[in-house]
Amino acid sequence: MLPPHRAARLAGLGTTIFTEMTALAARTGAINLGQGFPDSDGPGEVIEAGVAALRGGENQYAPLPGVPALREAVREHQLRHYGLNPEDLLITFGATEAIAAALLGLCDPGDGVLVLEPYYDSYSACISFAGAERLTVTLRPPDFALEAEALRAAIERGGGRVRVLLLNSPHNPTGRVLDRSELELIAAACVEHDLICISDEVYEHLVYEGEHIPPATLPGMAERTLTISSVGKSFSFTGWKIGWCSGPAELVAATRTVKQYLTFAGGTPLQHAAAAALRLNPVHLHTLRDNLRARRDELCAGLSAAGLSPITPAGTYFVNADVGGDAAEFCRTLPERCGVVAIPTGAFYDDQAAASTLVRFAFCKRAEVIAEASRRLASLA
Ligand code: PMP
Ligand code: GLN
């Protein structure tokens, strides 16, 4: 029924690697260290705030820009943590909707979008929905550093059509936290080529070494950066899909214009709960971070004991390990060999050769689950 070109485009989008791997874990009963989601709830008082909003009649459409309490809490958050005072902000259905609406609102067909490779899967899909062209800047193991030459070459490939630089730090899937010198390279390129920066900061509070520096805090960047985050990773509520973006009025307005026709406005009670989350004592953020750092170290030790070579990440809840052979084959057979699911890091690259022996493991799991996964992986050694 569908014309062949349409069927081919849909086949190209396929099923996300996360859906595929979670289905594989369910089918085989393996421990799922593939798709990244915590196996414990976030703070109880935040859940109670959601219940109170549900019971308190907060069940109709939210205002398009978001409920005032959450808008105010996001504004306070940006100011308290980074000294940023954005012109405008918008509540979205997770960071995912902010990314999609921003790309659709800011790009014309044929525009170039620079993206760090490996990249989160929705980036490439949304760039293609916008009719834009993806221009990758490859981060290579083991250090995944951003190189000036790779950035310059990608801009050159764009031949004057580059409009947006879509950034993600702390970075999924590598766990890199870009340092100030790398961000300065990015800022210099954005200013020189008059680029808009869309900055995905969903892992902003999951940093174990170094610090998260929002690109909007660099000179010349506040006026060209749309900063995106969400409640999912910072508070362990990935299923709530409450996110936000903030920045210059024109960039937020472009995103809002598209957002009205994607989902309009939703999740009203959870928006109230997210406001409560952002207003918690920051000690909650530190406790989560310190717990995750311990899980990271346990899983890295387990991977090493299994004869694999983990690259300790400075942020996010993902660790990549060199498995010394074909990573895709390794992941296909891992559930039957030892009852663990993980993702070949190559799934996040266009350049398949760049990380053909790397596997991404999520460590946002309870200590006993990490211990059991490590015990199972040890049988590989
Ligand atoms: N960006 C990155 C880099 C991610 O890893 C994720 C994880 N789901 C998202 C965006 C999506 O965030 P949300 O769940 O808030 O839509
Ligand atoms: N961000 C999660 C990960 O990288 C997955 C989110 C999703 O399934 N789309 O594992």
Side-chain angles (χ1 to χ4, degrees):
M1 198 142 95
L2 287 178
H5 76 276
R6 184 90 306 260
R9 280 208 70 187
L10 292 170
L13 289 170
T15 302
T16 84
I17 188 80
F18 308 115
T19 303
E20 199 183 304
M21 288 311 192
T22 291
L24 176 63
R27 213 164 48 240
T28 57
I31 296 177
N32 187 0
L33 303 185
Q35 187 179 30
F37 59 89
D39 58 0
S40 316
D41 280 341
E45 55 266 60
V46 176
I47 293 177
E48 290 311 319
V51 170
L54 277 165
R55 292 197 196 282
E58 300 289 355
N59 297 302
Q60 310 309 327
Y61 296 128
L64 172 64
V67 305
L70 179 53
R71 289 172 56 76
E72 202 37 52
V74 171
R75 188 173 287 288
E76 278 168 17
H77 173 274
Q78 293 306 94
L79 196 58
R80 175 165 15 106
H81 289 277
Y82 310 120
L84 289 169
N85 187 12
E87 281 177 6
D88 199 1
L89 58 93
L90 171 70
I91 308 305
T92 55
F93 199 67
T96 303
E97 187 189 40
I99 293 161
L103 287 167
L104 291 168
L106 296 169
C107 294
D108 280 318
D111 281 350
V113 178
L114 293 171
V115 57
L116 303 184
E117 167 184 58
Y119 50 79
Y120 182 55
D121 64 350
S122 85
Y123 296 179
S124 55
C126 292
I127 292 168
S128 102
F129 296 159
E133 185 190 351
R134 173 172 84 248
L135 298 158
T136 53
V137 181
T138 305
L139 307 179
R140 293 180 192 283
D143 53 358
F144 299 112
L146 174 75
E147 283 163 13
E149 180 47 32
L151 181 59
R152 198 195 53 72
I155 293 173
E156 207 153 273
R157 278 201 309 283
R161 288 172 293 102
V162 185
R163 173 165 301 180
V164 168
L165 192 154
L166 172 50
L167 198 63
N168 169 223
S169 177
H171 182 257
N172 180 10
T174 65
R176 261 314 304 286
V177 179
L178 294 184
D179 63 27
R180 189 169 291 280
S181 66
E182 292 168 302
L183 291 166
E184 281 168 354
L185 281 178
I186 283 164
C190 287
V191 171
E192 181 184 344
H193 299 280
D194 195 21
L195 308 181
I196 294 166
C197 177
I198 301 178
S199 179
D200 174 351
E201 303 179 21
V202 296
Y203 298 100
E204 62 187 320
H205 293 297
L206 307 187
V207 175
Y208 315 112
E209 278 96 36
E211 66 168 325
H212 169 59
I213 306 171
T217 60
L218 273 78
M221 290 299 280
E223 57 267 41
R224 58 177 72 249
T225 302
L226 186 75
T227 303
I228 295 174
S229 193
S230 77
V231 84
K233 327 288 171 184
S234 300
F235 298 98
S236 301
F237 291 118
T238 61
W240 285 12
K241 285 283 177 181
I242 299 297
W244 49 84
C245 61
S246 60
E250 196 182 17
L251 302 187
V252 174
T255 309
R256 186 169 54 236
T257 300
V258 173
K259 186 229 178 337
Q260 358 170 45
Y261 300 112
L262 292 177
T263 58
F264 181 54
T268 307
L270 297 179
Q271 289 197 29
H272 286 278
L278 286 173
R279 291 199 161 125
L280 285 174
N281 187 317
V283 89
H284 283 272
L285 295 170
H286 303 153
T287 304
L288 176 66
R289 179 199 61 200
D290 293 346
N291 278 335
L292 282 169
R293 186 193 284 112
R295 299 294 90 75
R296 174 196 70 171
D297 294 343
E298 287 154 15
L299 184 58
C300 283
L303 291 167
S304 297
L308 310 178
S309 307
I311 303 170
T312 306
T316 76
Y317 40 52
F318 305 111
V319 53
N320 289 272
D322 195 319
V323 299
D326 180 31
E329 176 61 17
F330 178 92
C331 291
R332 234 186 333 271
T333 57
L334 196 58
E336 75 203 40
R337 284 162 69 214
C338 75
V340 173
V341 160
I343 294 182
T345 310
F348 304 94
Y349 276 92
D350 291 343
D351 179 359
Q352 294 295 311
S356 60
T357 60
L358 278 194
V359 170
R360 191 194 83 167
F361 296 84
F363 55 82
C364 44
K365 305 293 174 188
R366 284 169 289 130
E368 57 270 33
V369 176
I370 298 289
E372 175 59 19
S374 298
R375 200 188 58 71
R376 294 181 184 191
L377 287 163
S379 69
L380 298 173

